[in-house]
Amino acid sequence: MLKLAGGMAVGATALMVASSALKQSLKDSARRDASSPFVYHLAVHCPQISGSAWQLVKLPKTAKLQDLQQAACAAFGEADSSEFMFYPVERKTRDGACVKLGEQIREIGSLDLLLLALPPDHLQVIQLVFAQEAPQPAEVPQGPKAFPVCGICWPLVGTSYQHKGPYPISEYNFAQNVFPTTGKYPYGPTVRSYEGRKQDVAEFGSAVFHEDAQYTETMTADANIVQELIARAADFPKLWNRDVEVGLQDFTANGLFTSSEKSEDWKTGHSLLPRGFNQIKVKGFAPQILAKTRAFVGEWSKFEAGELVEDVNEWLTAMTADAVVSCSMGMDMCNVERLGSKQAPHKFVETFRFGLGVSIGSITAQSEYGLKRFLPFFDAEGQLQEKYQASKKEMQRQVEVLVEATRRGELGDNSIIATMLNDTSADGKRVRYSALYGHVVNLMIAGHETTAATLGFTLQLLAEHPVYEERALEEVRQVLQGRTEPAVDDVPKLQFVEQCFREALRLYSPVTSITRDVAHDTLLGGHRVYQGERINLVTRALHTNPEYWGGEFGDPMSFNPDRFSPEAVRQRHPNAYHPWGFASRACIGSQFALFEAKTFLASILIHFRLQGIPGYRLVASCEGGGAAPSAEKLAFRVFPRPGGPLWADGLMLPLALPVAEAKESMEEDRASISTVSS
């Protein structure tokens, strides 16, 4: 029995060892799949040209050796490749010295064998020396390095401490700590940040990731890296696959902005929705935008001269929400008028804000219930989730009402909903009925919060800089020629007003980071990056990088609209400014937002003088529960503009609408409210 027991123990141990070896073998095999299936990604070193640098050379797997020589010559700027040969580099460890150079490559198929021979913990990119004759192994430089780590990597927390600081927005703290606007960057313009915990990475099938991909994130403030991400879009797709993103998607569904490029819904939506915001369409939206701007001016003209308005962000989001829904969905929610008469916002907005707040974590059991959450049997989390689910169902119901009203012809036949219902994509596909909800909610997020937040920052910055305010006002007066509101053809002429808005957008971008994922092991900026790794463009850092924004314009953190003069823009790196995103994921409504912002700012400047609160410090915060950072506790004292249409010897005159227009406006408001409020 002892012998039997011993034999069984030995057998079990052997089985465990064999099982472990099999698992490791399968894992190693899966790691090797991290290389691109159709394209060779090669790290090539040319000692005669590049010194110690490694260049990425990409080559289709159907190519010939001659194509490889031509591609390498193009990468190194060499005209004649006939005397240059390729020699594979062999290393024992990932960052170790070259121990051997293989035989000269004579046929392209040998690259597949070299890929299979790469250890699984190495970058699945073949290293080649491109030279007239093989150098000694000792002369071959160290392989492509990873980007430097942004500080000491502590146990459990990694480098997450770099996100801590005086700002409520963590990306602002990271930019200040790692990419300071004074002096040189301590770690360079692109760094690795260790999260201190393993990240779940979806949408890669059964891929086995390198440890670096799941524990690190590459953060950049470098316009050259952005340029490479744009040029190599297939290698760095936009994916929606992290925990926080999946949580948000529970409310926003698979919409245009909250989905991956792999999604069929995204592909169809991306083909259709931009048609609704092209330049011709945006000009067609001018009457609705002007109507909501006029409503805003009308409500503010009811204030006493010098009255303190403390809920400025609420006013701005009411106006932009009304405008985007009116233009894109054919319904005026009358939130500006509701706010003026101290009514609750339209149920569509109210439901949207609560659902979004819970999904992004700005509304919690603590913020919703306070100390009540500690009461026995209260179940604050359960109640919050129940309320959230009810909110989501109500939002879906309201979108369905809008869709059905559009289908029956009761709402705008020129709306985005009508486009999604009636048009087909470039490949003949229609938007799935179940996908309409996600696209509508996404339009609400991107279409009103971002513009409202930037308008708030612009108004405060102009109030703090009266010289620029005066220049903007003078431009408005010259363009309008005595009129009190801009016409559609006036808006493109408001160049300096646009510069003010763009400068505020630079300093306080509503999108604090723009991400891409690494599709396959490859090089980025000459550094190694692994499949599944996240690349994060920190917009605050890019937009305050002194290389692009300092010099003659002074401190990159200062407000100076002349940074966006046509001449200054021409001289700047083309990828130094990306508040709208970039490439295929650039904001489809950027022209709409600019048109709306310029119309609004021109009207505000001509009618009001806004006085900032003494001692107020402009801080970007998400305390209001929105997805986009806005100016914290923004408030103004509102005066009529001296000599303007509301000025009466220092008193505020209420804005007077023509009788016919006022009657028509009242009838439209009543009709709009009754359409969806029931």
Side-chain angles (χ1 to χ4, degrees), residues 388-417:
Y388 166 71
Q389 293 300 331
S391 169
K392 191 164 68 169
K393 285 182 180 178
E394 175 59 22
M395 191 71 189
Q396 291 167 343
R397 187 194 70 81
Q398 291 189 48
V399 170
E400 187 175 346
V401 169
L402 284 171
V403 170
E404 289 304 321
T406 304
R407 195 199 298 274
R408 292 192 299 268
E410 297 169 6
L411 287 177
D413 57 1
N414 198 31
S415 70
I416 298 298
I417 293 180

PDB file of all heavy atoms in Angstrom, residues 388-417:
ATOM      1  N   TYR A 388     -30.983  53.828 -11.003  1.00  0.00           N
ATOM      2  CA  TYR A 388     -30.210  53.915 -12.250  1.00  0.00           C
ATOM      3  C   TYR A 388     -30.870  53.090 -13.358  1.00  0.00           C
ATOM      4  O   TYR A 388     -31.005  53.563 -14.491  1.00  0.00           O
ATOM      5  CB  TYR A 388     -28.777  53.436 -11.997  1.00  0.00           C
ATOM      6  CG  TYR A 388     -27.983  53.167 -13.261  1.00  0.00           C
ATOM      7  CD1 TYR A 388     -27.557  54.207 -14.082  1.00  0.00           C
ATOM      8  CD2 TYR A 388     -27.664  51.860 -13.639  1.00  0.00           C
ATOM      9  CE1 TYR A 388     -26.831  53.951 -15.239  1.00  0.00           C
ATOM     10  CE2 TYR A 388     -26.945  51.597 -14.788  1.00  0.00           C
ATOM     11  CZ  TYR A 388     -26.530  52.651 -15.588  1.00  0.00           C
ATOM     12  OH  TYR A 388     -25.817  52.396 -16.731  1.00  0.00           O
ATOM     13  N   GLN A 389     -31.285  51.874 -13.019  1.00  0.00           N
ATOM     14  CA  GLN A 389     -31.928  51.021 -14.023  1.00  0.00           C
ATOM     15  C   GLN A 389     -33.240  51.641 -14.507  1.00  0.00           C
ATOM     16  O   GLN A 389     -33.564  51.593 -15.701  1.00  0.00           O
ATOM     17  CB  GLN A 389     -32.175  49.623 -13.446  1.00  0.00           C
ATOM     18  CG  GLN A 389     -30.911  48.823 -13.158  1.00  0.00           C
ATOM     19  CD  GLN A 389     -30.061  48.577 -14.393  1.00  0.00           C
ATOM     20  OE1 GLN A 389     -30.575  48.498 -15.516  1.00  0.00           O
ATOM     21  NE2 GLN A 389     -28.757  48.439 -14.207  1.00  0.00           N
ATOM     22  N   ALA A 390     -33.986  52.243 -13.576  1.00  0.00           N
ATOM     23  CA  ALA A 390     -35.232  52.920 -13.959  1.00  0.00           C
ATOM     24  C   ALA A 390     -34.933  54.114 -14.867  1.00  0.00           C
ATOM     25  O   ALA A 390     -35.654  54.367 -15.841  1.00  0.00           O
ATOM     26  CB  ALA A 390     -35.978  53.383 -12.704  1.00  0.00           C
ATOM     27  N   SER A 391     -33.843  54.825 -14.548  1.00  0.00           N
ATOM     28  CA  SER A 391     -33.433  55.969 -15.360  1.00  0.00           C
ATOM     29  C   SER A 391     -33.056  55.523 -16.768  1.00  0.00           C
ATOM     30  O   SER A 391     -33.422  56.172 -17.760  1.00  0.00           O
ATOM     31  CB  SER A 391     -32.250  56.673 -14.684  1.00  0.00           C
ATOM     32  OG  SER A 391     -31.668  57.620 -15.521  1.00  0.00           O
ATOM     33  N   LYS A 392     -32.337  54.405 -16.858  1.00  0.00           N
ATOM     34  CA  LYS A 392     -31.918  53.895 -18.166  1.00  0.00           C
ATOM     35  C   LYS A 392     -33.146  53.488 -18.995  1.00  0.00           C
ATOM     36  O   LYS A 392     -33.228  53.798 -20.200  1.00  0.00           O
ATOM     37  CB  LYS A 392     -30.973  52.711 -17.978  1.00  0.00           C
ATOM     38  CG  LYS A 392     -30.273  52.282 -19.247  1.00  0.00           C
ATOM     39  CD  LYS A 392     -29.079  51.377 -18.975  1.00  0.00           C
ATOM     40  CE  LYS A 392     -29.480  50.039 -18.432  1.00  0.00           C
ATOM     41  NZ  LYS A 392     -28.355  49.080 -18.412  1.00  0.00           N
ATOM     42  N   LYS A 393     -34.097  52.819 -18.361  1.00  0.00           N
ATOM     43  CA  LYS A 393     -35.314  52.422 -19.074  1.00  0.00           C
ATOM     44  C   LYS A 393     -36.103  53.636 -19.549  1.00  0.00           C
ATOM     45  O   LYS A 393     -36.641  53.654 -20.659  1.00  0.00           O
ATOM     46  CB  LYS A 393     -36.196  51.549 -18.161  1.00  0.00           C
ATOM     47  CG  LYS A 393     -35.676  50.128 -17.981  1.00  0.00           C
ATOM     48  CD  LYS A 393     -36.616  49.320 -17.104  1.00  0.00           C
ATOM     49  CE  LYS A 393     -36.094  47.894 -16.916  1.00  0.00           C
ATOM     50  NZ  LYS A 393     -36.970  47.105 -16.013  1.00  0.00           N
ATOM     51  N   GLU A 394     -36.155  54.660 -18.692  1.00  0.00           N
ATOM     52  CA  GLU A 394     -36.877  55.874 -19.072  1.00  0.00           C
ATOM     53  C   GLU A 394     -36.185  56.573 -20.239  1.00  0.00           C
ATOM     54  O   GLU A 394     -36.835  57.077 -21.149  1.00  0.00           O
ATOM     55  CB  GLU A 394     -36.970  56.817 -17.861  1.00  0.00           C
ATOM     56  CG  GLU A 394     -37.585  58.177 -18.154  1.00  0.00           C
ATOM     57  CD  GLU A 394     -39.007  58.093 -18.700  1.00  0.00           C
ATOM     58  OE1 GLU A 394     -39.693  57.079 -18.480  1.00  0.00           O
ATOM     59  OE2 GLU A 394     -39.443  59.069 -19.345  1.00  0.00           O
ATOM     60  N   MET A 395     -34.864  56.572 -20.215  1.00  0.00           N
ATOM     61  CA  MET A 395     -34.108  57.189 -21.308  1.00  0.00           C
ATOM     62  C   MET A 395     -34.377  56.441 -22.615  1.00  0.00           C
ATOM     63  O   MET A 395     -34.593  57.058 -23.671  1.00  0.00           O
ATOM     64  CB  MET A 395     -32.611  57.166 -20.980  1.00  0.00           C
ATOM     65  CG  MET A 395     -31.762  57.999 -21.914  1.00  0.00           C
ATOM     66  SD  MET A 395     -32.040  59.755 -21.625  1.00  0.00           S
ATOM     67  CE  MET A 395     -31.150  60.446 -23.005  1.00  0.00           C
ATOM     68  N   GLN A 396     -34.384  55.126 -22.544  1.00  0.00           N
ATOM     69  CA  GLN A 396     -34.662  54.319 -23.737  1.00  0.00           C
ATOM     70  C   GLN A 396     -36.072  54.593 -24.253  1.00  0.00           C
ATOM     71  O   GLN A 396     -36.295  54.667 -25.467  1.00  0.00           O
ATOM     72  CB  GLN A 396     -34.478  52.836 -23.401  1.00  0.00           C
ATOM     73  CG  GLN A 396     -33.026  52.441 -23.147  1.00  0.00           C
ATOM     74  CD  GLN A 396     -32.880  51.073 -22.519  1.00  0.00           C
ATOM     75  OE1 GLN A 396     -33.834  50.519 -21.971  1.00  0.00           O
ATOM     76  NE2 GLN A 396     -31.673  50.521 -22.559  1.00  0.00           N
ATOM     77  N   ARG A 397     -37.019  54.763 -23.325  1.00  0.00           N
ATOM     78  CA  ARG A 397     -38.398  55.041 -23.728  1.00  0.00           C
ATOM     79  C   ARG A 397     -38.488  56.390 -24.437  1.00  0.00           C
ATOM     80  O   ARG A 397     -39.162  56.515 -25.475  1.00  0.00           O
ATOM     81  CB  ARG A 397     -39.312  55.039 -22.499  1.00  0.00           C
ATOM     82  CG  ARG A 397     -40.793  55.162 -22.838  1.00  0.00           C
ATOM     83  CD  ARG A 397     -41.626  55.496 -21.616  1.00  0.00           C
ATOM     84  NE  ARG A 397     -41.383  56.854 -21.158  1.00  0.00           N
ATOM     85  CZ  ARG A 397     -41.952  57.935 -21.709  1.00  0.00           C
ATOM     86  NH1 ARG A 397     -42.763  57.814 -22.746  1.00  0.00           N
ATOM     87  NH2 ARG A 397     -41.699  59.132 -21.227  1.00  0.00           N
ATOM     88  N   GLN A 398     -37.806  57.393 -23.896  1.00  0.00           N
ATOM     89  CA  GLN A 398     -37.875  58.726 -24.484  1.00  0.00           C
ATOM     90  C   GLN A 398     -37.229  58.753 -25.867  1.00  0.00           C
ATOM     91  O   GLN A 398     -37.727  59.419 -26.781  1.00  0.00           O
ATOM     92  CB  GLN A 398     -37.201  59.734 -23.560  1.00  0.00           C
ATOM     93  CG  GLN A 398     -37.981  59.964 -22.274  1.00  0.00           C
ATOM     94  CD  GLN A 398     -37.427  61.112 -21.468  1.00  0.00           C
ATOM     95  OE1 GLN A 398     -37.173  62.181 -21.988  1.00  0.00           O
ATOM     96  NE2 GLN A 398     -37.223  60.881 -20.178  1.00  0.00           N
ATOM     97  N   VAL A 399     -36.123  58.039 -26.028  1.00  0.00           N
ATOM     98  CA  VAL A 399     -35.490  57.963 -27.346  1.00  0.00           C
ATOM     99  C   VAL A 399     -36.433  57.271 -28.327  1.00  0.00           C
ATOM    100  O   VAL A 399     -36.565  57.684 -29.484  1.00  0.00           O
ATOM    101  CB  VAL A 399     -34.133  57.240 -27.269  1.00  0.00           C
ATOM    102  CG1 VAL A 399     -33.593  56.940 -28.671  1.00  0.00           C
ATOM    103  CG2 VAL A 399     -33.129  58.073 -26.489  1.00  0.00           C
ATOM    104  N   GLU A 400     -37.110  56.236 -27.854  1.00  0.00           N
ATOM    105  CA  GLU A 400     -38.053  55.524 -28.721  1.00  0.00           C
ATOM    106  C   GLU A 400     -39.190  56.454 -29.155  1.00  0.00           C
ATOM    107  O   GLU A 400     -39.628  56.415 -30.310  1.00  0.00           O
ATOM    108  CB  GLU A 400     -38.621  54.302 -27.996  1.00  0.00           C
ATOM    109  CG  GLU A 400     -39.476  53.424 -28.891  1.00  0.00           C
ATOM    110  CD  GLU A 400     -39.929  52.144 -28.189  1.00  0.00           C
ATOM    111  OE1 GLU A 400     -39.373  51.819 -27.130  1.00  0.00           O
ATOM    112  OE2 GLU A 400     -40.836  51.494 -28.717  1.00  0.00           O
ATOM    113  N   VAL A 401     -39.661  57.307 -28.226  1.00  0.00           N
ATOM    114  CA  VAL A 401     -40.709  58.266 -28.570  1.00  0.00           C
ATOM    115  C   VAL A 401     -40.215  59.222 -29.660  1.00  0.00           C
ATOM    116  O   VAL A 401     -40.929  59.523 -30.626  1.00  0.00           O
ATOM    117  CB  VAL A 401     -41.150  59.057 -27.316  1.00  0.00           C
ATOM    118  CG1 VAL A 401     -42.044  60.234 -27.705  1.00  0.00           C
ATOM    119  CG2 VAL A 401     -41.882  58.146 -26.340  1.00  0.00           C
ATOM    120  N   LEU A 402     -38.959  59.689 -29.525  1.00  0.00           N
ATOM    121  CA  LEU A 402     -38.382  60.583 -30.525  1.00  0.00           C
ATOM    122  C   LEU A 402     -38.279  59.897 -31.886  1.00  0.00           C
ATOM    123  O   LEU A 402     -38.598  60.482 -32.927  1.00  0.00           O
ATOM    124  CB  LEU A 402     -36.990  61.043 -30.079  1.00  0.00           C
ATOM    125  CG  LEU A 402     -36.908  62.107 -28.989  1.00  0.00           C
ATOM    126  CD1 LEU A 402     -35.466  62.263 -28.518  1.00  0.00           C
ATOM    127  CD2 LEU A 402     -37.428  63.434 -29.499  1.00  0.00           C
ATOM    128  N   VAL A 403     -37.823  58.652 -31.865  1.00  0.00           N
ATOM    129  CA  VAL A 403     -37.655  57.902 -33.110  1.00  0.00           C
ATOM    130  C   VAL A 403     -38.999  57.699 -33.796  1.00  0.00           C
ATOM    131  O   VAL A 403     -39.141  57.906 -35.007  1.00  0.00           O
ATOM    132  CB  VAL A 403     -36.959  56.554 -32.835  1.00  0.00           C
ATOM    133  CG1 VAL A 403     -36.989  55.664 -34.074  1.00  0.00           C
ATOM    134  CG2 VAL A 403     -35.520  56.773 -32.377  1.00  0.00           C
ATOM    135  N   GLU A 404     -40.002  57.300 -33.020  1.00  0.00           N
ATOM    136  CA  GLU A 404     -41.321  57.048 -33.607  1.00  0.00           C
ATOM    137  C   GLU A 404     -41.955  58.345 -34.124  1.00  0.00           C
ATOM    138  O   GLU A 404     -42.608  58.351 -35.172  1.00  0.00           O
ATOM    139  CB  GLU A 404     -42.237  56.380 -32.573  1.00  0.00           C
ATOM    140  CG  GLU A 404     -41.854  54.937 -32.259  1.00  0.00           C
ATOM    141  CD  GLU A 404     -41.819  54.061 -33.504  1.00  0.00           C
ATOM    142  OE1 GLU A 404     -42.691  54.217 -34.383  1.00  0.00           O
ATOM    143  OE2 GLU A 404     -40.900  53.236 -33.617  1.00  0.00           O
ATOM    144  N   ALA A 405     -41.750  59.450 -33.381  1.00  0.00           N
ATOM    145  CA  ALA A 405     -42.288  60.737 -33.841  1.00  0.00           C
ATOM    146  C   ALA A 405     -41.612  61.158 -35.139  1.00  0.00           C
ATOM    147  O   ALA A 405     -42.256  61.730 -36.031  1.00  0.00           O
ATOM    148  CB  ALA A 405     -42.082  61.807 -32.772  1.00  0.00           C
ATOM    149  N   THR A 406     -40.319  60.860 -35.268  1.00  0.00           N
ATOM    150  CA  THR A 406     -39.598  61.167 -36.508  1.00  0.00           C
ATOM    151  C   THR A 406     -40.100  60.286 -37.639  1.00  0.00           C
ATOM    152  O   THR A 406     -40.314  60.748 -38.768  1.00  0.00           O
ATOM    153  CB  THR A 406     -38.082  60.951 -36.312  1.00  0.00           C
ATOM    154  OG1 THR A 406     -37.623  61.735 -35.217  1.00  0.00           O
ATOM    155  CG2 THR A 406     -37.309  61.337 -37.558  1.00  0.00           C
ATOM    156  N   ARG A 407     -40.317  59.010 -37.325  1.00  0.00           N
ATOM    157  CA  ARG A 407     -40.794  58.078 -38.349  1.00  0.00           C
ATOM    158  C   ARG A 407     -42.175  58.510 -38.890  1.00  0.00           C
ATOM    159  O   ARG A 407     -42.456  58.382 -40.081  1.00  0.00           O
ATOM    160  CB  ARG A 407     -40.884  56.665 -37.751  1.00  0.00           C
ATOM    161  CG  ARG A 407     -41.019  55.556 -38.812  1.00  0.00           C
ATOM    162  CD  ARG A 407     -41.548  54.293 -38.174  1.00  0.00           C
ATOM    163  NE  ARG A 407     -40.677  53.760 -37.155  1.00  0.00           N
ATOM    164  CZ  ARG A 407     -39.649  52.943 -37.403  1.00  0.00           C
ATOM    165  NH1 ARG A 407     -39.355  52.600 -38.626  1.00  0.00           N
ATOM    166  NH2 ARG A 407     -38.925  52.481 -36.416  1.00  0.00           N
ATOM    167  N   ARG A 408     -43.004  59.074 -37.993  1.00  0.00           N
ATOM    168  CA  ARG A 408     -44.347  59.511 -38.415  1.00  0.00           C
ATOM    169  C   ARG A 408     -44.329  60.887 -39.085  1.00  0.00           C
ATOM    170  O   ARG A 408     -45.362  61.370 -39.535  1.00  0.00           O
ATOM    171  CB  ARG A 408     -45.283  59.554 -37.200  1.00  0.00           C
ATOM    172  CG  ARG A 408     -45.604  58.194 -36.600  1.00  0.00           C
ATOM    173  CD  ARG A 408     -46.745  58.297 -35.605  1.00  0.00           C
ATOM    174  NE  ARG A 408     -46.435  59.181 -34.498  1.00  0.00           N
ATOM    175  CZ  ARG A 408     -45.897  58.792 -33.342  1.00  0.00           C
ATOM    176  NH1 ARG A 408     -45.616  57.500 -33.145  1.00  0.00           N
ATOM    177  NH2 ARG A 408     -45.653  59.663 -32.380  1.00  0.00           N
ATOM    178  N   GLY A 409     -43.154  61.534 -39.102  1.00  0.00           N
ATOM    179  CA  GLY A 409     -43.055  62.852 -39.723  1.00  0.00           C
ATOM    180  C   GLY A 409     -43.433  63.991 -38.814  1.00  0.00           C
ATOM    181  O   GLY A 409     -43.596  65.125 -39.267  1.00  0.00           O
ATOM    182  N   GLU A 410     -43.556  63.737 -37.492  1.00  0.00           N
ATOM    183  CA  GLU A 410     -43.961  64.776 -36.555  1.00  0.00           C
ATOM    184  C   GLU A 410     -42.779  65.616 -36.088  1.00  0.00           C
ATOM    185  O   GLU A 410     -42.951  66.723 -35.578  1.00  0.00           O
ATOM    186  CB  GLU A 410     -44.653  64.146 -35.341  1.00  0.00           C
ATOM    187  CG  GLU A 410     -45.940  63.421 -35.711  1.00  0.00           C
ATOM    188  CD  GLU A 410     -46.473  62.574 -34.567  1.00  0.00           C
ATOM    189  OE1 GLU A 410     -45.893  62.653 -33.459  1.00  0.00           O
ATOM    190  OE2 GLU A 410     -47.447  61.835 -34.770  1.00  0.00           O
ATOM    191  N   LEU A 411     -41.557  65.072 -36.200  1.00  0.00           N
ATOM    192  CA  LEU A 411     -40.351  65.815 -35.844  1.00  0.00           C
ATOM    193  C   LEU A 411     -39.486  65.957 -37.089  1.00  0.00           C
ATOM    194  O   LEU A 411     -39.681  65.252 -38.080  1.00  0.00           O
ATOM    195  CB  LEU A 411     -39.574  65.104 -34.732  1.00  0.00           C
ATOM    196  CG  LEU A 411     -40.192  65.173 -33.339  1.00  0.00           C
ATOM    197  CD1 LEU A 411     -39.358  64.381 -32.355  1.00  0.00           C
ATOM    198  CD2 LEU A 411     -40.307  66.616 -32.862  1.00  0.00           C
ATOM    199  N   GLY A 412     -38.479  66.819 -36.992  1.00  0.00           N
ATOM    200  CA  GLY A 412     -37.664  67.233 -38.126  1.00  0.00           C
ATOM    201  C   GLY A 412     -37.284  66.155 -39.120  1.00  0.00           C
ATOM    202  O   GLY A 412     -36.597  65.198 -38.761  1.00  0.00           O
ATOM    203  N   ASP A 413     -37.712  66.328 -40.374  1.00  0.00           N
ATOM    204  CA  ASP A 413     -37.340  65.364 -41.406  1.00  0.00           C
ATOM    205  C   ASP A 413     -35.907  65.576 -41.884  1.00  0.00           C
ATOM    206  O   ASP A 413     -35.394  64.823 -42.702  1.00  0.00           O
ATOM    207  CB  ASP A 413     -38.308  65.448 -42.591  1.00  0.00           C
ATOM    208  CG  ASP A 413     -38.377  66.851 -43.193  1.00  0.00           C
ATOM    209  OD1 ASP A 413     -37.655  67.744 -42.700  1.00  0.00           O
ATOM    210  OD2 ASP A 413     -39.159  67.051 -44.143  1.00  0.00           O
ATOM    211  N   ASN A 414     -35.258  66.640 -41.361  1.00  0.00           N
ATOM    212  CA  ASN A 414     -33.862  66.908 -41.696  1.00  0.00           C
ATOM    213  C   ASN A 414     -32.947  66.584 -40.521  1.00  0.00           C
ATOM    214  O   ASN A 414     -31.785  66.974 -40.500  1.00  0.00           O
ATOM    215  CB  ASN A 414     -33.709  68.387 -42.093  1.00  0.00           C
ATOM    216  CG  ASN A 414     -32.428  68.639 -42.865  1.00  0.00           C
ATOM    217  OD1 ASN A 414     -31.955  67.759 -43.580  1.00  0.00           O
ATOM    218  ND2 ASN A 414     -31.855  69.818 -42.697  1.00  0.00           N
ATOM    219  N   SER A 415     -33.470  65.857 -39.534  1.00  0.00           N
ATOM    220  CA  SER A 415     -32.719  65.606 -38.304  1.00  0.00           C
ATOM    221  C   SER A 415     -31.770  64.421 -38.469  1.00  0.00           C
ATOM    222  O   SER A 415     -31.838  63.667 -39.441  1.00  0.00           O
ATOM    223  CB  SER A 415     -33.694  65.314 -37.153  1.00  0.00           C
ATOM    224  OG  SER A 415     -34.317  64.051 -37.356  1.00  0.00           O
ATOM    225  N   ILE A 416     -30.894  64.264 -37.472  1.00  0.00           N
ATOM    226  CA  ILE A 416     -29.961  63.131 -37.475  1.00  0.00           C
ATOM    227  C   ILE A 416     -30.726  61.811 -37.332  1.00  0.00           C
ATOM    228  O   ILE A 416     -30.352  60.799 -37.932  1.00  0.00           O
ATOM    229  CB  ILE A 416     -28.940  63.271 -36.326  1.00  0.00           C
ATOM    230  CG1 ILE A 416     -28.117  64.546 -36.511  1.00  0.00           C
ATOM    231  CG2 ILE A 416     -28.018  62.067 -36.270  1.00  0.00           C
ATOM    232  CD1 ILE A 416     -27.286  64.577 -37.767  1.00  0.00           C
ATOM    233  N   ILE A 417     -31.778  61.819 -36.552  1.00  0.00           N
ATOM    234  CA  ILE A 417     -32.589  60.605 -36.406  1.00  0.00           C
ATOM    235  C   ILE A 417     -33.183  60.213 -37.760  1.00  0.00           C
ATOM    236  O   ILE A 417     -33.181  59.030 -38.132  1.00  0.00           O
ATOM    237  CB  ILE A 417     -33.694  60.796 -35.351  1.00  0.00           C
ATOM    238  CG1 ILE A 417     -33.072  60.956 -33.963  1.00  0.00           C
ATOM    239  CG2 ILE A 417     -34.661  59.615 -35.362  1.00  0.00           C
ATOM    240  CD1 ILE A 417     -34.074  61.161 -32.849  1.00  0.00           C
TER     241      ILE A 417
END
